[in-house]
Amino acid sequence: MDNKNVIIAINKSILEMPSIAKDSKNPQGWKYRSIDAIIDHCKNVIAKNGLVVIPETINATTKIDIIEKEKYDQYAKKNVTIISRLSTSSVLVCYKICHISGEMISAIVPGESQDYGDKSMSQAETFAFKSMLSKVFLLGFEEDADGK
């Protein structure tokens, strides 16, 4: 099957895609582009050009490490051992970029994340999705102060 229509639609989407500012801040104060902001900027342009993105996870792994740290307890006036759970997740996702004509191309993208809670897998999936959108649709980013 020819995929000319999907390539043309991606090209039109690239030309119409607005730049995205770093409008979110993490607890440490670093600015970043949230997945919500990226989706909000992309979805109408992608849909208008007859495209649909369907993810399929090819591989997903999670490794759990138990970490012990010494910390001074000011109330007990002594060092205590703190035990934490660190999860590291990796995914490999195939994004099928489908055109309403039935044509399709695929983009295979990895994602990885670490989290002290239970969110490393969803964070890895989010990173993979942001990465695919950025690379396939050549997302422009407004100038950021972090770069200076």
Side-chain angles (χ1 to χ4, degrees):
M1 178 185 264
D2 187 17
N3 58 10
K4 180 179 165 189
N5 288 321
V6 72
I7 299 297
I8 290 170
I10 289 172
N11 181 263
K12 283 182 178 179
S13 297
I14 290 168
L15 294 172
E16 296 170 13
M17 202 67 71
S19 295
I20 303 169
K22 287 185 175 182
D23 58 357
S24 298
K25 261 189 184 179
N26 69 10
Q28 293 79 24
W30 290 96
K31 288 183 166 188
Y32 68 98
R33 293 165 189 90
S34 71
I35 186 65
D36 294 332
I38 291 174
I39 289 171
D40 286 346
H41 277 77
C42 296
K43 69 181 178 186
N44 291 336
V45 173
I46 290 170
K48 183 180 103 177
N49 286 297
L51 296 173
V52 175
V53 178
I54 302 170
E56 179 183 341
T57 301
I58 297 170
N59 191 23
T61 60
T62 298
K63 177 184 158 208
I64 307 294
D65 291 310
I66 304 300
I67 299 169
E68 293 183 21
K69 293 182 190 175
E70 288 288 321
K71 183 178 177 186
Y72 183 75
D73 184 335
Q74 63 183 359
Y75 300 107
K77 305 274 190 235
K78 64 179 182 177
N79 282 344
V80 294
T81 301
I82 307 284
I83 298 175
S84 299
R85 173 185 178 271
L86 177 67
S87 63
T88 303
S89 295
S90 298
V91 294
L92 190 60
V93 183
C94 176
Y95 291 95
K96 294 176 181 154
I97 303 165
C98 307
H99 187 261
I100 56 174
S101 67
E103 297 171 13
M104 178 193 78
I105 64 169
S106 296
I108 298 173
V109 183
E112 186 172 275
S113 181
Q114 288 186 322
D115 189 66
Y116 284 105
D118 61 350
K119 304 204 178 8
S120 67
M121 183 58 70
S122 61
Q123 290 170 354
E125 292 168 339
T126 297
F127 179 81
F129 190 49
K130 286 170 74 172
S131 180
M132 182 281 297
L133 290 171
S134 297
K135 291 172 183 169
V136 171
F137 295 100
L138 304 177
L139 297 182
F141 298 112
E142 291 179 6
E143 185 177 326
D144 61 61
D146 292 342
K148 294 180 180 180

Short mmCIF file of all heavy atoms in Angstrom, two decimals, residues 61-113:
data_model
loop_
_atom_site.label_atom_id
_atom_site.label_comp_id
_atom_site.label_asym_id
_atom_site.label_seq_id
_atom_site.Cartn_x
_atom_site.Cartn_y
_atom_site.Cartn_z
N THR A 61 9.41 -3.04 30.59
CA THR A 61 10.04 -3.69 31.75
C THR A 61 10.11 -2.70 32.90
O THR A 61 10.23 -1.50 32.70
CB THR A 61 11.47 -4.18 31.44
OG1 THR A 61 12.26 -3.06 31.05
CG2 THR A 61 11.48 -5.21 30.32
N THR A 62 10.04 -3.24 34.10
CA THR A 62 10.21 -2.44 35.30
C THR A 62 11.15 -3.18 36.24
O THR A 62 11.00 -4.38 36.45
CB THR A 62 8.88 -2.18 36.02
OG1 THR A 62 8.03 -1.44 35.14
CG2 THR A 62 9.08 -1.37 37.29
N LYS A 63 12.12 -2.45 36.77
CA LYS A 63 13.07 -3.00 37.74
C LYS A 63 12.87 -2.23 39.05
O LYS A 63 12.79 -1.01 39.05
CB LYS A 63 14.49 -2.80 37.21
CG LYS A 63 15.58 -3.25 38.13
CD LYS A 63 16.94 -2.90 37.53
CE LYS A 63 17.95 -2.84 38.63
NZ LYS A 63 19.04 -1.97 38.36
N ILE A 64 12.79 -2.97 40.15
CA ILE A 64 12.61 -2.36 41.46
C ILE A 64 13.90 -2.50 42.26
O ILE A 64 14.45 -3.60 42.37
CB ILE A 64 11.47 -3.04 42.26
CG1 ILE A 64 10.18 -3.07 41.45
CG2 ILE A 64 11.29 -2.38 43.61
CD1 ILE A 64 9.57 -1.74 41.17
N ASP A 65 14.40 -1.39 42.78
CA ASP A 65 15.57 -1.40 43.66
C ASP A 65 15.15 -0.91 45.03
O ASP A 65 14.38 0.05 45.15
CB ASP A 65 16.67 -0.48 43.12
CG ASP A 65 17.31 -1.00 41.84
OD1 ASP A 65 17.69 -2.18 41.84
OD2 ASP A 65 17.41 -0.23 40.88
N ILE A 66 15.65 -1.56 46.05
CA ILE A 66 15.43 -1.11 47.42
C ILE A 66 16.69 -0.35 47.84
O ILE A 66 17.80 -0.88 47.76
CB ILE A 66 15.18 -2.29 48.38
CG1 ILE A 66 13.99 -3.13 47.89
CG2 ILE A 66 14.99 -1.80 49.81
CD1 ILE A 66 12.69 -2.37 47.80
N ILE A 67 16.50 0.90 48.24
CA ILE A 67 17.63 1.77 48.56
C ILE A 67 17.58 2.11 50.04
O ILE A 67 16.53 2.51 50.56
CB ILE A 67 17.57 3.05 47.71
CG1 ILE A 67 17.67 2.69 46.23
CG2 ILE A 67 18.67 4.01 48.11
CD1 ILE A 67 17.38 3.83 45.31
N GLU A 68 18.70 1.95 50.68
CA GLU A 68 18.81 2.33 52.10
C GLU A 68 19.67 3.58 52.20
O GLU A 68 20.73 3.66 51.60
CB GLU A 68 19.44 1.20 52.91
CG GLU A 68 18.58 -0.03 53.01
CD GLU A 68 19.20 -1.10 53.89
OE1 GLU A 68 20.07 -0.78 54.72
OE2 GLU A 68 18.81 -2.27 53.73
N LYS A 69 19.19 4.56 52.95
CA LYS A 69 19.94 5.80 53.16
C LYS A 69 20.00 6.09 54.65
O LYS A 69 19.06 5.83 55.39
CB LYS A 69 19.23 6.98 52.49
CG LYS A 69 19.17 6.95 51.01
CD LYS A 69 18.47 8.21 50.53
CE LYS A 69 18.15 8.17 49.06
NZ LYS A 69 17.38 9.33 48.64
N GLU A 70 21.12 6.64 55.05
CA GLU A 70 21.25 7.11 56.43
C GLU A 70 20.79 8.56 56.48
O GLU A 70 21.15 9.37 55.63
CB GLU A 70 22.71 7.03 56.89
CG GLU A 70 23.21 5.62 57.13
CD GLU A 70 22.63 4.98 58.38
OE1 GLU A 70 22.47 5.68 59.40
OE2 GLU A 70 22.31 3.78 58.32
N LYS A 71 19.97 8.87 57.47
CA LYS A 71 19.48 10.23 57.62
C LYS A 71 19.47 10.57 59.10
O LYS A 71 19.14 9.75 59.94
CB LYS A 71 18.06 10.34 57.06
CG LYS A 71 17.49 11.74 57.11
CD LYS A 71 16.11 11.79 56.50
CE LYS A 71 15.54 13.19 56.63
NZ LYS A 71 14.18 13.28 56.19
N TYR A 72 19.85 11.80 59.41
CA TYR A 72 19.86 12.23 60.80
C TYR A 72 18.44 12.59 61.23
O TYR A 72 17.77 13.41 60.61
CB TYR A 72 20.79 13.44 60.99
CG TYR A 72 20.90 13.87 62.43
CD1 TYR A 72 21.66 13.11 63.33
CD2 TYR A 72 20.23 14.99 62.90
CE1 TYR A 72 21.75 13.49 64.67
CE2 TYR A 72 20.31 15.38 64.23
CZ TYR A 72 21.08 14.61 65.11
OH TYR A 72 21.16 14.97 66.43
N ASP A 73 17.96 11.95 62.26
CA ASP A 73 16.65 12.21 62.83
C ASP A 73 16.82 13.23 63.97
O ASP A 73 17.39 12.91 65.01
CB ASP A 73 16.02 10.92 63.35
CG ASP A 73 14.60 11.13 63.86
OD1 ASP A 73 14.25 12.26 64.26
OD2 ASP A 73 13.84 10.15 63.87
N GLN A 74 16.34 14.44 63.74
CA GLN A 74 16.55 15.51 64.73
C GLN A 74 15.79 15.26 66.03
O GLN A 74 16.18 15.75 67.08
CB GLN A 74 16.17 16.85 64.15
CG GLN A 74 14.70 16.97 63.77
CD GLN A 74 14.39 18.31 63.14
OE1 GLN A 74 15.25 19.16 63.00
NE2 GLN A 74 13.13 18.49 62.75
N TYR A 75 14.72 14.50 65.98
CA TYR A 75 13.94 14.23 67.19
C TYR A 75 14.59 13.13 68.03
O TYR A 75 14.65 13.24 69.26
CB TYR A 75 12.50 13.85 66.84
CG TYR A 75 11.80 14.95 66.09
CD1 TYR A 75 11.54 14.83 64.73
CD2 TYR A 75 11.45 16.14 66.73
CE1 TYR A 75 10.94 15.85 64.02
CE2 TYR A 75 10.83 17.17 66.03
CZ TYR A 75 10.58 17.01 64.68
OH TYR A 75 9.98 18.03 63.99
N ALA A 76 15.08 12.08 67.37
CA ALA A 76 15.74 10.99 68.09
C ALA A 76 17.20 11.32 68.36
O ALA A 76 17.86 10.62 69.11
CB ALA A 76 15.64 9.70 67.28
N LYS A 77 17.70 12.37 67.71
CA LYS A 77 19.10 12.81 67.85
C LYS A 77 20.08 11.70 67.47
O LYS A 77 21.07 11.47 68.13
CB LYS A 77 19.39 13.28 69.28
CG LYS A 77 18.47 14.36 69.79
CD LYS A 77 18.97 15.71 69.38
CE LYS A 77 18.18 16.78 70.11
NZ LYS A 77 17.57 17.74 69.28
N LYS A 78 19.76 10.99 66.39
CA LYS A 78 20.66 9.95 65.90
C LYS A 78 20.37 9.67 64.43
O LYS A 78 19.34 10.07 63.90
CB LYS A 78 20.51 8.67 66.71
CG LYS A 78 19.15 8.02 66.60
CD LYS A 78 19.08 6.73 67.41
CE LYS A 78 17.70 6.08 67.23
NZ LYS A 78 17.60 4.83 67.93
N ASN A 79 21.30 8.98 63.79
CA ASN A 79 21.10 8.57 62.40
C ASN A 79 20.12 7.40 62.35
O ASN A 79 20.17 6.50 63.19
CB ASN A 79 22.42 8.14 61.76
CG ASN A 79 23.26 9.34 61.35
OD1 ASN A 79 22.75 10.46 61.27
ND2 ASN A 79 24.52 9.12 61.11
N VAL A 80 19.24 7.43 61.38
CA VAL A 80 18.30 6.33 61.17
C VAL A 80 18.41 5.88 59.71
O VAL A 80 18.81 6.65 58.84
CB VAL A 80 16.84 6.74 61.49
CG1 VAL A 80 16.68 7.04 62.96
CG2 VAL A 80 16.41 7.92 60.64
N THR A 81 18.05 4.65 59.45
CA THR A 81 18.09 4.11 58.10
C THR A 81 16.71 4.29 57.47
O THR A 81 15.70 3.87 58.03
CB THR A 81 18.48 2.62 58.11
OG1 THR A 81 19.76 2.50 58.71
CG2 THR A 81 18.54 2.06 56.69
N ILE A 82 16.70 4.91 56.32
CA ILE A 82 15.46 5.11 55.54
C ILE A 82 15.51 4.13 54.38
O ILE A 82 16.51 4.06 53.66
CB ILE A 82 15.37 6.55 54.98
CG1 ILE A 82 15.55 7.59 56.07
CG2 ILE A 82 14.10 6.75 54.18
CD1 ILE A 82 14.37 7.80 56.96
N ILE A 83 14.46 3.38 54.20
CA ILE A 83 14.39 2.44 53.09
C ILE A 83 13.40 2.98 52.06
O ILE A 83 12.27 3.32 52.39
CB ILE A 83 13.97 1.04 53.58
CG1 ILE A 83 15.02 0.51 54.55
CG2 ILE A 83 13.77 0.09 52.40
CD1 ILE A 83 14.67 -0.79 55.20
N SER A 84 13.86 3.07 50.81
CA SER A 84 13.02 3.57 49.72
C SER A 84 12.95 2.53 48.62
O SER A 84 13.84 1.71 48.45
CB SER A 84 13.61 4.86 49.13
OG SER A 84 13.69 5.87 50.08
N ARG A 85 11.89 2.65 47.85
CA ARG A 85 11.68 1.77 46.69
C ARG A 85 11.82 2.65 45.45
O ARG A 85 11.10 3.63 45.30
CB ARG A 85 10.27 1.19 46.78
CG ARG A 85 9.82 0.40 45.61
CD ARG A 85 8.33 0.02 45.85
NE ARG A 85 7.79 -0.71 44.75
CZ ARG A 85 7.20 -0.19 43.69
NH1 ARG A 85 7.09 1.12 43.58
NH2 ARG A 85 6.72 -0.94 42.73
N LEU A 86 12.78 2.29 44.58
CA LEU A 86 13.00 3.03 43.34
C LEU A 86 12.65 2.12 42.17
O LEU A 86 13.24 1.05 42.02
CB LEU A 86 14.45 3.51 43.23
CG LEU A 86 14.82 4.23 41.94
CD1 LEU A 86 14.09 5.57 41.84
CD2 LEU A 86 16.32 4.44 41.85
N SER A 87 11.69 2.54 41.36
CA SER A 87 11.34 1.74 40.18
C SER A 87 11.87 2.43 38.93
O SER A 87 11.79 3.65 38.78
CB SER A 87 9.84 1.51 40.10
OG SER A 87 9.14 2.72 39.93
N THR A 88 12.45 1.62 38.05
CA THR A 88 12.96 2.09 36.77
C THR A 88 12.21 1.34 35.69
O THR A 88 12.23 0.11 35.65
CB THR A 88 14.47 1.83 36.63
OG1 THR A 88 15.14 2.46 37.73
CG2 THR A 88 15.01 2.37 35.32
N SER A 89 11.53 2.07 34.81
CA SER A 89 10.75 1.44 33.75
C SER A 89 11.26 1.87 32.38
O SER A 89 11.66 3.01 32.19
CB SER A 89 9.27 1.80 33.87
OG SER A 89 8.71 1.27 35.04
N SER A 90 11.23 0.91 31.47
CA SER A 90 11.60 1.16 30.07
C SER A 90 10.49 0.62 29.19
O SER A 90 9.94 -0.45 29.45
CB SER A 90 12.90 0.45 29.71
OG SER A 90 13.96 0.94 30.49
N VAL A 91 10.18 1.37 28.14
CA VAL A 91 9.19 0.93 27.17
C VAL A 91 9.72 1.12 25.76
O VAL A 91 10.60 1.97 25.52
CB VAL A 91 7.84 1.69 27.30
CG1 VAL A 91 7.15 1.39 28.60
CG2 VAL A 91 8.01 3.17 27.09
N LEU A 92 9.21 0.34 24.86
CA LEU A 92 9.43 0.52 23.43
C LEU A 92 8.04 0.51 22.82
O LEU A 92 7.31 -0.48 22.95
CB LEU A 92 10.30 -0.60 22.86
CG LEU A 92 10.79 -0.39 21.44
CD1 LEU A 92 11.65 0.87 21.32
CD2 LEU A 92 11.58 -1.60 20.96
N VAL A 93 7.66 1.64 22.21
CA VAL A 93 6.30 1.80 21.72
C VAL A 93 6.33 2.03 20.21
O VAL A 93 7.13 2.82 19.71
CB VAL A 93 5.58 2.98 22.40
CG1 VAL A 93 4.14 3.09 21.93
CG2 VAL A 93 5.63 2.83 23.92
N CYS A 94 5.45 1.32 19.52
CA CYS A 94 5.25 1.55 18.08
C CYS A 94 4.01 2.41 17.93
O CYS A 94 2.91 2.02 18.34
CB CYS A 94 5.07 0.22 17.35
SG CYS A 94 4.71 0.43 15.60
N TYR A 95 4.19 3.61 17.40
CA TYR A 95 3.07 4.51 17.15
C TYR A 95 2.68 4.37 15.69
O TYR A 95 3.48 4.64 14.80
CB TYR A 95 3.44 5.96 17.46
CG TYR A 95 3.65 6.18 18.93
CD1 TYR A 95 4.91 6.12 19.49
CD2 TYR A 95 2.56 6.41 19.76
CE1 TYR A 95 5.09 6.29 20.86
CE2 TYR A 95 2.73 6.59 21.13
CZ TYR A 95 4.00 6.53 21.66
OH TYR A 95 4.18 6.69 23.01
N LYS A 96 1.45 3.93 15.46
CA LYS A 96 0.93 3.82 14.10
C LYS A 96 0.25 5.14 13.78
O LYS A 96 -0.70 5.54 14.46
CB LYS A 96 -0.05 2.66 14.00
CG LYS A 96 0.64 1.33 14.21
CD LYS A 96 -0.34 0.20 14.20
CE LYS A 96 0.45 -1.07 14.44
NZ LYS A 96 -0.34 -2.11 15.04
N ILE A 97 0.78 5.84 12.79
CA ILE A 97 0.22 7.12 12.37
C ILE A 97 -0.63 6.81 11.14
O ILE A 97 -0.09 6.53 10.06
CB ILE A 97 1.32 8.14 12.08
CG1 ILE A 97 2.19 8.30 13.34
CG2 ILE A 97 0.72 9.48 11.67
CD1 ILE A 97 3.50 8.99 13.11
N CYS A 98 -1.94 6.82 11.34
CA CYS A 98 -2.89 6.39 10.32
C CYS A 98 -3.57 7.59 9.68
O CYS A 98 -3.92 8.55 10.37
CB CYS A 98 -3.95 5.49 10.95
SG CYS A 98 -3.28 4.11 11.89
N HIS A 99 -3.76 7.49 8.38
CA HIS A 99 -4.49 8.52 7.64
C HIS A 99 -5.90 7.99 7.39
O HIS A 99 -6.12 6.78 7.31
CB HIS A 99 -3.79 8.80 6.31
CG HIS A 99 -4.38 9.96 5.57
ND1 HIS A 99 -5.27 9.79 4.54
CD2 HIS A 99 -4.22 11.30 5.73
CE1 HIS A 99 -5.62 10.99 4.08
NE2 HIS A 99 -5.00 11.92 4.78
N ILE A 100 -6.88 8.89 7.26
CA ILE A 100 -8.26 8.47 7.05
C ILE A 100 -8.44 7.67 5.75
O ILE A 100 -9.42 6.96 5.60
CB ILE A 100 -9.24 9.66 7.10
CG1 ILE A 100 -8.85 10.73 6.08
CG2 ILE A 100 -9.32 10.22 8.50
CD1 ILE A 100 -9.85 11.87 5.97
N SER A 101 -7.46 7.74 4.85
CA SER A 101 -7.50 6.95 3.61
C SER A 101 -7.20 5.48 3.87
O SER A 101 -7.38 4.64 3.00
CB SER A 101 -6.47 7.50 2.62
OG SER A 101 -5.15 7.26 3.11
N GLY A 102 -6.71 5.18 5.09
CA GLY A 102 -6.33 3.80 5.41
C GLY A 102 -4.83 3.57 5.36
O GLY A 102 -4.34 2.53 5.79
N GLU A 103 -4.10 4.54 4.84
CA GLU A 103 -2.65 4.42 4.80
C GLU A 103 -2.06 4.63 6.19
O GLU A 103 -2.67 5.29 7.04
CB GLU A 103 -2.06 5.45 3.83
CG GLU A 103 -2.51 5.25 2.41
CD GLU A 103 -2.11 6.39 1.50
OE1 GLU A 103 -1.27 7.21 1.91
OE2 GLU A 103 -2.65 6.46 0.39
N MET A 104 -0.86 4.07 6.41
CA MET A 104 -0.26 4.14 7.74
C MET A 104 1.26 4.08 7.64
O MET A 104 1.80 3.44 6.74
CB MET A 104 -0.76 2.95 8.55
CG MET A 104 -0.20 2.86 9.94
SD MET A 104 -0.55 1.25 10.68
CE MET A 104 0.69 0.24 9.88
N ILE A 105 1.91 4.76 8.57
CA ILE A 105 3.34 4.57 8.78
C ILE A 105 3.53 4.36 10.28
O ILE A 105 2.65 4.67 11.08
CB ILE A 105 4.21 5.75 8.27
CG1 ILE A 105 3.90 7.02 9.04
CG2 ILE A 105 4.08 5.94 6.78
CD1 ILE A 105 4.91 8.14 8.78
N SER A 106 4.70 3.84 10.65
CA SER A 106 4.98 3.57 12.06
C SER A 106 6.21 4.32 12.52
O SER A 106 7.14 4.54 11.75
CB SER A 106 5.21 2.08 12.28
OG SER A 106 4.04 1.36 11.98
N ALA A 107 6.19 4.72 13.79
CA ALA A 107 7.36 5.32 14.43
C ALA A 107 7.58 4.55 15.73
O ALA A 107 6.70 4.48 16.58
CB ALA A 107 7.11 6.80 14.72
N ILE A 108 8.77 3.94 15.86
CA ILE A 108 9.10 3.17 17.05
C ILE A 108 9.99 4.02 17.94
O ILE A 108 11.04 4.51 17.50
CB ILE A 108 9.77 1.84 16.69
CG1 ILE A 108 8.80 1.00 15.86
CG2 ILE A 108 10.20 1.09 17.94
CD1 ILE A 108 9.38 -0.28 15.30
N VAL A 109 9.55 4.23 19.19
CA VAL A 109 10.21 5.17 20.09
C VAL A 109 10.38 4.54 21.48
O VAL A 109 9.45 3.95 22.00
CB VAL A 109 9.38 6.47 20.22
CG1 VAL A 109 10.08 7.48 21.09
CG2 VAL A 109 9.07 7.06 18.86
N PRO A 110 11.58 4.72 22.09
CA PRO A 110 11.77 4.23 23.47
C PRO A 110 11.39 5.30 24.49
O PRO A 110 11.31 6.49 24.18
CB PRO A 110 13.28 3.97 23.53
CG PRO A 110 13.85 5.02 22.61
CD PRO A 110 12.83 5.19 21.50
N GLY A 111 11.18 4.87 25.70
CA GLY A 111 10.94 5.78 26.82
C GLY A 111 11.46 5.15 28.09
O GLY A 111 11.44 3.92 28.22
N GLU A 112 11.96 5.96 29.01
CA GLU A 112 12.47 5.45 30.27
C GLU A 112 12.20 6.46 31.37
O GLU A 112 12.20 7.66 31.13
CB GLU A 112 13.97 5.17 30.17
CG GLU A 112 14.53 4.48 31.41
CD GLU A 112 15.96 4.04 31.23
OE1 GLU A 112 16.17 2.95 30.70
OE2 GLU A 112 16.86 4.81 31.62
N SER A 113 11.99 5.95 32.60
CA SER A 113 11.75 6.84 33.73
C SER A 113 12.06 6.12 35.03
O SER A 113 12.00 4.89 35.10
CB SER A 113 10.29 7.30 33.75
OG SER A 113 10.07 8.17 34.83
#
